[in-house]
Amino acid sequence: MDVSLSQALLLLFTGLLAGVINTLAGGGSNLTLPALMVMGMPAEVANATNRVGVTVQSITALIGFNKHGRLDSTDKAPILLPTILGGFIGAGAAAYAPAGIIKPLLLGTMLAMALIILIKPSMIAPEEGTPINKVSETPSSWLWLLVAGIYGGFVQAGVGFVLLAALAGSLRYDLVRANALKVMCTLFFTLASLVIFIAEDLILWLPGLILAVGTLVGAHFAVKLAIKVSSKTLKWFLFIMTLCGCIAAMMN
């Protein structure tokens, strides 16, 4: 697929914004998916091509969080297992599901997260000093992570909110460490979904790689911001991005 200069600039700009938004909260794909579809891609091709940028963004953010000591290393494998499994299931379903199901699923997820942040903010932003749970001690967290993986493999947009609900809400990580683990999970189930999408020949690589350049830059700067801002600021940023996700889901 040929990409014009104006299209390349659009992808770079939306990719940069998405890299920041996805690293700090979630919902950046609400920008990149419409940008890809404006170029004439069918929804399923845009959904698959978007994963190239998400993969590069996740690698960049993960390296940054690890460099600054914000990536918890004690429970990685139990956290990753259900999300990777879910990613394969969700991507397999996305390859054959009707496009009309994506919008109500996305909107429902965004509305649920907005209500959680307003009604019970401690579920998504634990108080400082709250003990961290292990996956083996909280069986419900395994189900949450599996659901997040399925959702992310299926649609990607808004999966950060679902992962934060599992990592901060169920396992009780603070928002910075939850974001770091969220990025780790996103990387691995996105790689799982890429396998499916590559096998189905759904990815357009040139626009995907241009988008990835933007997400790389955005994620790099977002990590620096995440480790400096307060948990309260991150919580309100998360809430605002959730509302933006609701609006985007209704408009698309």
Side-chain angles (χ1 to χ4, degrees):
M1 179 180 186
D2 293 331
V3 179
S4 68
L5 177 60
S6 60
Q7 289 173 332
L9 291 174
L10 173 65
L11 291 176
L12 287 171
F13 180 67
T14 55
L16 188 150
L17 291 179
V20 173
I21 292 168
N22 283 335
T23 302
L24 293 177
S29 291
N30 290 318
L31 296 174
T32 54
L33 282 173
L36 291 166
M37 293 174 71
V38 161
M39 298 173 62
M41 294 184 198
E44 66 275 13
V45 175
N47 186 27
T49 302
N50 184 53
R51 310 307 172 101
V52 180
V54 173
T55 299
V56 172
Q57 153 208 297
S58 300
I59 292 171
T60 304
L62 193 61
I63 291 171
F65 279 123
N66 189 55
K67 178 182 176 181
H68 291 94
R70 298 300 198 276
L71 182 62
D72 188 84
S73 60
T74 58
D75 214 21
K76 287 180 182 176
I79 288 172
L80 283 173
L81 179 60
T83 55
I84 293 173
L85 175 61
F88 275 114
I89 296 171
Y96 302 101
I101 198 174
I102 292 178
K103 181 176 177 178
L105 180 62
L106 177 59
L107 180 58
T109 302
M110 299 298 99
L111 288 173
M113 284 301 304
L115 287 173
I116 288 171
I117 296 171
L118 277 179
I119 297 170
K120 196 174 181 181
S122 62
M123 181 175 175
I124 202 70
E127 296 292 332
E128 188 174 344
T130 301
I132 295 173
N133 299 324
K134 291 186 176 295
V135 175
S136 59
E137 298 168 350
T138 50
S140 62
S141 66
W142 203 95
L143 178 60
W144 269 101
L145 291 165
L146 178 67
V147 169
I150 294 172
Y151 178 90
F154 190 89
V155 69
Q156 190 74 49
V159 67
F161 303 122
V162 185
L163 281 168
L164 285 175
L167 295 166
S170 183
L171 297 177
R172 313 307 288 160
Y173 284 97
D174 65 76
L175 273 179
V176 176
R177 285 178 166 77
N179 265 318
L181 288 167
K182 175 202 74 182
V183 167
M184 178 187 72
C185 292
T186 300
L187 172 61
F188 279 89
F189 74 66
T190 301
L191 289 173
S193 66
L194 272 177
V195 172
I196 303 292
F197 292 132
I198 290 171
E200 295 293 327
D201 195 26
L202 289 173
I203 296 175
L204 296 178
W205 288 100
L206 179 57
L209 291 171
I210 294 172
L211 181 67
V213 173
T215 63
L216 184 154
V217 176
H220 173 75
F221 286 106
V223 169
K224 295 180 181 295
L225 182 61
I227 62 176
K228 292 179 181 179
V229 301
S230 67
S231 178
K232 184 177 180 180
T233 301
L234 276 179
K235 181 185 74 176
W236 283 110
F237 181 81
L238 179 62
F239 178 67
I240 292 169
M241 289 301 102
T242 307
L243 291 182
C244 289
C246 293
I247 295 169
M250 288 186 286
M251 293 178 63
N252 290 337

